[in-house]
Amino acid sequence: MRRASTGRPALRLLNTPLEREDPAPLVSFCSHCGSRPGPEAAPALSRVCATCGLGLILESRADVAPAAGDAFLVLDRSLAVCAVSHGAEHLLATSEPDAVNRHVTDLLMPAGAEDTGGHSLAMAVAWAARGDGGTRTTVVRPANAFGIRLTARIASCGPPRAALVVLE
Amino acid sequence: MRYLKTSEAAALLNVSPNTLRAWERRFGFPKPQRSPGKHRLFTHGEVAALRDALQEGLSISSAISRAREGLAADANSLVGALASYERERADAAIEAALALRSVERSVEEVLLPTLDEIARRYTVESAAWAFAAHWGSDWLRRAMRLTPPPVRQVSIVLGDASRDELDRDAPYIRALELFCVRAGVKVLSLSARGVAGIGDAAAVHRPNLVVVAGGHLDDDTVARWAYAIRLAVGAMPLAIYRRGAERPRVRATGTTVLPPGAGDAQRTLLELLESDQIATASASAAAAELRAQGRIARSHR
């Protein structure tokens, strides 16, 4: 927004970040341990992680994809939990078999009362699970825990299409 | 029913046998049975359902959840068939369950939960329960007739203390009977009401253990029946099954209370029978040793 010669604010059309940036390459990661299968590895016959055996290999943008040991969740478009990483199990004091199919708000809540509109956790997850490109960042807290603020990077992942929430 | 060894199931899922065992520990699925040599035997249906779910899943947990939902559909379709009084559809539903599971697991995971659901939804006074209980009892008896003859040298006498086939405990008692017969145990099932001539029956059958099952008959009636058995064949271990934990007991010394699930009860019974056999075998070994020592002592004299 800039001021016109009259002094009144005027809107200006800007490129969205997605139009401006080159699309980030896709990388694979395990939905449980977060480790990435090396490029030299032979094409796997199954999607099961060869490192931990407890997760499936998913793909996401390289700038969002978690590193090994990171805390992250995978959610579907109905905001149900589909995967909980080993790091997130420790961070949120839960286990993946218990958390799967529960609503995201059973595990995470928006940390700021002022979070509204497109910045809210639910909307960001719904957008990412729909397959919208780009990364959204919001601040969350573990459900039923106050005073803990975690930055959540939310982007699309898959297949099948889902939302990846990386907690920092 | 097709079973897969651990290596075969792992190959079908394209994972290592260790990964499959890790899934069993962490998720309890796929749940194998054990061969007589204690090796894991996975049902092909469960492994195939998991393989399909893994193609579409976002995690192992979600794939397992989806595979379980698919398998639970059998129970839902059986409830629907019985609630609408359709015998053929009920037969087809339990046949579909048998395609994915063993007889024991089909009974434990589909048939008995279905009957419980019908009783809960419509009450045991309803026509739906009468139809379902009759169908369940009939199916369990048919399954028992198809079981090969017993191979173990052990037998039990089962005193049925339930009211009739409309009793909620009756399907569990029939299921326990079926599981024991399928495990190779000789089972003589008698009503706990009938005392006349019980001595002859017990003498012919020579049981290793007596089970009193069902909670309808009062303790005095059941005690008279158990006493008649004892008079005929002497003292022997007694187990009670689904007699109602809340029922106050005057004396239950030496009695084993079996868990309410038919599968758990069968396993406990087999352990009891094995320990009884071991005790009998060690007693006879000790007696033989004493006899041998006696012979040696006589020869020295």
Side-chain angles (χ1 to χ4, degrees):
Chain A
M1 200 182 307
R2 67 181 178 187
R3 291 193 179 271
S5 57
T6 56
R8 293 175 58 195
L11 293 176
R12 189 161 58 103
L13 187 65
L14 293 173
N15 288 331
T16 65
L18 284 179
E19 288 168 338
R20 195 174 55 212
E21 292 170 3
D22 292 332
L26 295 176
V27 293
S28 300
F29 64 95
C30 167
S31 67
H32 186 71
C33 66
S35 65
R36 299 180 184 187
E40 71 285 354
L45 290 171
S46 78
R47 296 175 58 212
V48 179
C49 172
T51 308
C52 69
L54 296 175
L56 295 179
I57 300 298
L58 303 178
E59 281 187 345
S60 180
R61 288 160 48 109
D63 55 342
V64 190
D70 276 1
F72 63 91
L73 308 175
V74 178
L75 309 166
D76 66 10
R77 63 171 60 195
S78 64
L79 307 188
V81 176
C82 295
V84 182
S85 75
H86 186 63
E89 284 182 327
H90 279 282
L91 186 68
L92 303 173
T94 186
S95 70
E96 190 179 58
D98 289 340
V100 160
N101 293 334
R102 284 165 64 186
H103 196 265
V104 62
T105 49
D106 288 346
L107 298 181
L108 293 177
M109 296 290 280
E114 70 277 8
D115 281 347
T116 54
H119 299 292
S120 77
L121 172 67
M123 198 161 284
V125 168
W127 274 341
R130 200 174 59 185
D132 281 5
T135 307
R136 289 166 186 84
T137 304
T138 186
V139 181
V140 294
R141 63 175 173 83
N144 302 324
F146 295 90
I148 301 170
R149 292 167 69 88
L150 304 164
T151 305
R153 273 197 333 260
I154 302 168
S156 194
C157 72
R161 194 167 283 169
L164 170 68
V165 181
V166 183
L167 303 170
E168 294 168 335
Chain B
M1 170 63 55
R2 186 175 157 201
Y3 291 103
L4 302 173
K5 291 189 282 188
T6 305
S7 56
E8 293 168 333
L12 194 64
L13 294 166
N14 280 321
V15 297
S16 69
N18 280 341
T19 300
L20 196 54
R21 285 189 279 267
W23 290 358
E24 185 198 334
R25 276 195 303 276
R26 183 171 161 88
F27 307 111
F29 191 92
K31 190 177 169 188
Q33 293 193 315
R34 296 281 174 169
S35 70
K38 305 289 182 196
H39 294 291
R40 288 174 173 82
L41 289 176
F42 294 91
T43 50
H44 179 266
E46 273 192 2
V47 177
L50 181 56
R51 181 195 54 191
D52 297 343
L54 284 172
Q55 302 294 326
E56 303 287 319
L58 286 160
S59 68
I60 307 289
S61 284
S62 63
I64 283 174
S65 168
R66 186 179 294 192
R68 277 192 172 131
E69 276 172 21
L71 294 171
D74 292 332
N76 294 337
S77 65
L78 186 55
V79 169
L82 291 175
S84 50
Y85 308 98
E86 292 182 55
R87 179 176 285 273
E88 288 77 18
R89 197 150 72 85
D91 285 339
I94 197 77
E95 288 299 325
L98 280 169
L100 298 174
R101 304 170 183 84
S102 63
V103 171
E104 284 81 359
R105 287 189 58 197
S106 298
V107 170
E108 272 201 291
E109 294 173 11
V110 178
L111 194 146
L112 294 176
T114 295
L115 294 180
D116 283 342
E117 177 62 19
I118 296 272
R120 190 192 61 78
R121 209 184 278 182
Y122 301 98
T123 77
V124 289
E125 309 300 328
S126 64
W129 168 252
F131 177 79
H134 180 70
W135 176 86
S137 173
D138 185 40
W139 191 90
L140 289 165
R141 285 183 200 283
R142 267 187 286 158
M144 203 139 33
R145 281 200 294 273
L146 296 174
T147 306
V151 290
R152 293 177 191 243
Q153 295 300 314
V154 286
S155 65
I156 60 173
V157 169
L158 194 149
D160 189 345
S162 65
R163 188 184 54 177
D164 50 28
E165 72 176 14
L166 297 185
D167 193 319
R168 274 193 78 164
D169 292 328
Y172 283 87
I173 297 169
R174 293 289 82 74
L176 174 63
E177 202 179 329
L178 171 66
F179 291 178
C180 288
V181 171
R182 281 180 57 83
V185 178
K186 218 161 108 185
V187 179
L188 177 64
S189 184
L190 299 166
S191 168
R193 288 184 186 87
V195 174
I198 190 80
D200 298 337
V204 169
H205 196 71
R206 302 174 71 80
N208 301 80
L209 192 135
V210 176
V211 181
V212 176
H216 179 70
L217 295 183
D218 58 62
D219 282 350
D220 286 344
T221 309
V222 168
R224 268 199 298 276
W225 180 84
Y227 183 67
I229 296 264
R230 188 192 168 106
L231 277 182
V233 290
M236 69 179 58
L238 177 71
I240 55 175
Y241 179 58
R242 294 185 80 89
R243 281 288 289 162
E246 72 285 354
R247 183 193 291 263
R249 312 215 88 81
V250 177
R251 194 158 57 102
T253 315
T255 304
T256 304
V257 180
L258 300 175
D264 293 337
Q266 179 239 34
R267 282 184 282 279
T268 311
L269 265 183
L270 291 181
E271 283 166 15
L272 276 175
L273 286 169
E274 276 172 18
S275 62
D276 181 48
Q277 275 190 318
I278 291 164
T280 312
S282 11
S284 25
E289 195 177 341
L290 282 174
R291 278 197 299 273
Q293 281 173 355
R295 273 200 297 273
I296 292 165
R298 275 198 300 276
S299 66
H300 280 306
R301 277 204 298 270

